[in-house]
Amino acid sequence: MKGITSQHTVEHYENFPVGSFLLPKQYRPAVAVVYHVARYADDLADEGHASASERLAALDECSAELQRIERGETALTARFQALAPVAQRYRIPLQLFEDLFCAFRQDVVKNRYQNFGEVIDYCRRSANPVGRILLHIFDQTDARQLALSDGICSALQLVNFWQDVAIDWQKDRVYLPQDDLLRFAVTEQDLANGIATPAFKQLMHFQCDRTRRMLRAGSPLGVQLPGRVGLEIRTIVLAADRVLSKIHTAQYDVFNARPTLSRGDWPAILWQALKTGITKKTAT
């Protein structure tokens, strides 16, 4: 997923808190293994100069590796050989990885989304599996936790889309729903011109507002999960919320400056995450 760029989260399809000092050390090796599989597959879809058919064939081979693991066979590549014991130890459903690969395939062949439902369906496969995989590693997988995680991860993906309207346009990708473009009288020529027109600002305000509601609806997960795992989740949610605030402060002009978090943002985010955890403990 592009994503919120920081030491806590990395870009697109990478809402893994890889390398974060907040994660308990015992989880970091497993998270790193999962991350490298997802990063590799994402790069197959996005990076380099391969043709669409070559990209799809490479992603099909990733799926074949999952099938080898499922059958109890040895994977052919080191990254999937490393994944097999992690998936087994933490009882991670391999379908979650296949969902990611499905989303990456979609990026190869689909570059417009008719409505918000189509965008959310993409998020269900491109982002939500990440959170579910992490919850399996953390052994926190009741239905309520999974649902809250899905809300956070979909919102993170959407934040990323609204940050990257200009970048995605250069790749001939438009994640703004087509029916919302029509509703707000924004054309693709407006995107090509790179000008934040009043209509575009209204459209982006609408998208960011509903994304923030989704993010905050999932935020109770950060106080439900224990210790540093909960702190990590709270930090990620607050970071995404701050990016939305930066988009608003920039008056939704994501063409001239991509709103990102600076090093100076992190102390306040971390302090707020810590304070929320303390408030929870005091309340209980």
Side-chain angles (χ1 to χ4, degrees):
M1 354 173 125
K2 308 160 193 136
I4 301 167
T5 305
S6 75
Q7 64 181 338
H8 303 289
T9 56
V10 278
E11 296 195 27
H12 199 40
Y13 306 116
E14 298 174 22
N15 295 310
F16 299 85
V18 176
S20 169
F21 70 92
L22 298 179
L23 268 187
K25 288 183 179 179
Q26 68 264 32
Y27 299 133
R28 294 178 197 172
V31 172
V33 166
V34 168
Y35 163 77
H36 286 300
V37 168
R39 175 71 270 173
Y40 168 73
D42 186 19
D43 285 347
L44 291 176
D46 274 344
E47 302 301 323
H49 304 286
S51 66
S53 61
E54 289 169 333
R55 294 179 190 278
L56 293 173
L59 288 165
D60 286 345
E61 183 52 35
C62 290
S63 295
E65 287 282 65
L66 289 182
Q67 292 164 15
R68 293 182 186 101
I69 294 172
E70 186 76 50
R71 293 193 299 263
E73 301 172 5
T74 300
L76 301 183
T77 57
R79 63 181 55 85
F80 283 95
Q81 290 169 8
L83 178 63
V86 169
Q88 181 178 26
R89 176 181 176 183
Y90 294 102
R91 292 172 292 182
I92 303 172
L94 293 178
Q95 182 60 44
L96 293 174
F97 293 95
E98 182 56 38
D99 288 345
L100 288 173
F101 300 162
C102 177
F104 301 153
R105 290 188 187 92
Q106 183 165 311
D107 271 332
V108 176
V109 300
K110 184 178 177 70
N111 55 16
R112 299 293 187 277
Y113 291 80
Q114 183 58 39
N115 52 53
F116 191 63
E118 284 193 2
V119 176
I120 289 298
D121 178 67
Y122 174 78
C123 295
R124 179 185 62 80
R125 288 170 288 118
S126 71
N128 296 6
V130 173
R132 288 179 171 244
I133 289 167
L134 290 177
L135 287 181
H136 276 84
I137 292 174
F138 303 150
D139 194 25
Q140 303 284 336
T141 57
D142 70 38
R144 174 66 173 162
Q145 291 169 333
L146 292 171
L148 291 173
S149 173
D150 286 349
I152 291 171
C153 289
S154 286
L156 289 172
Q157 180 73 90
L158 293 173
V159 171
N160 174 225
F161 288 157
W162 314 148
Q163 275 180 300
D164 284 352
V165 169
I167 293 171
D168 288 330
W169 174 258
Q170 297 302 317
K171 299 177 181 179
D172 191 30
R173 289 179 183 169
V174 178
Y175 292 101
L176 289 162
Q178 295 292 303
D179 60 353
D180 286 340
L181 290 172
L182 183 62
R183 173 185 172 188
F184 286 91
V186 176
T187 68
E188 292 202 1
Q189 187 59 50
D190 293 329
L191 304 184
N193 292 340
I195 299 174
T197 64
F200 177 80
K201 291 178 181 181
Q202 291 175 356
L203 169 62
M204 288 290 286
H205 173 80
F206 173 75
Q207 302 298 347
C208 289
D209 183 61
R210 73 172 160 189
T211 300
R212 176 171 270 133
R213 292 198 302 270
M214 289 176 59
L215 187 67
R216 292 182 175 176
S219 65
L221 181 66
V223 295
Q224 290 181 12
L225 296 182
R228 290 172 65 176
V229 170
L231 177 60
E232 177 79 15
I233 300 303
R234 295 195 300 275
T235 302
I236 290 172
V237 169
L238 288 166
D241 192 80
R242 182 159 295 209
V243 170
L244 290 172
S245 294
K246 284 178 175 272
I247 294 173
H248 173 74
T249 300
Q251 299 184 334
Y252 304 100
D253 186 358
V254 294
F255 297 109
N256 288 311
R258 180 181 185 265
T260 58
L261 298 178
S262 67
R263 183 169 297 182
D265 288 308
W266 288 103
I269 290 170
L270 184 56
W271 169 243
Q272 183 62 41
L274 287 165
K275 188 167 66 172
T276 303
I278 293 169
T279 302
K280 173 208 171 187
K281 288 182 179 179
T282 302
T284 57

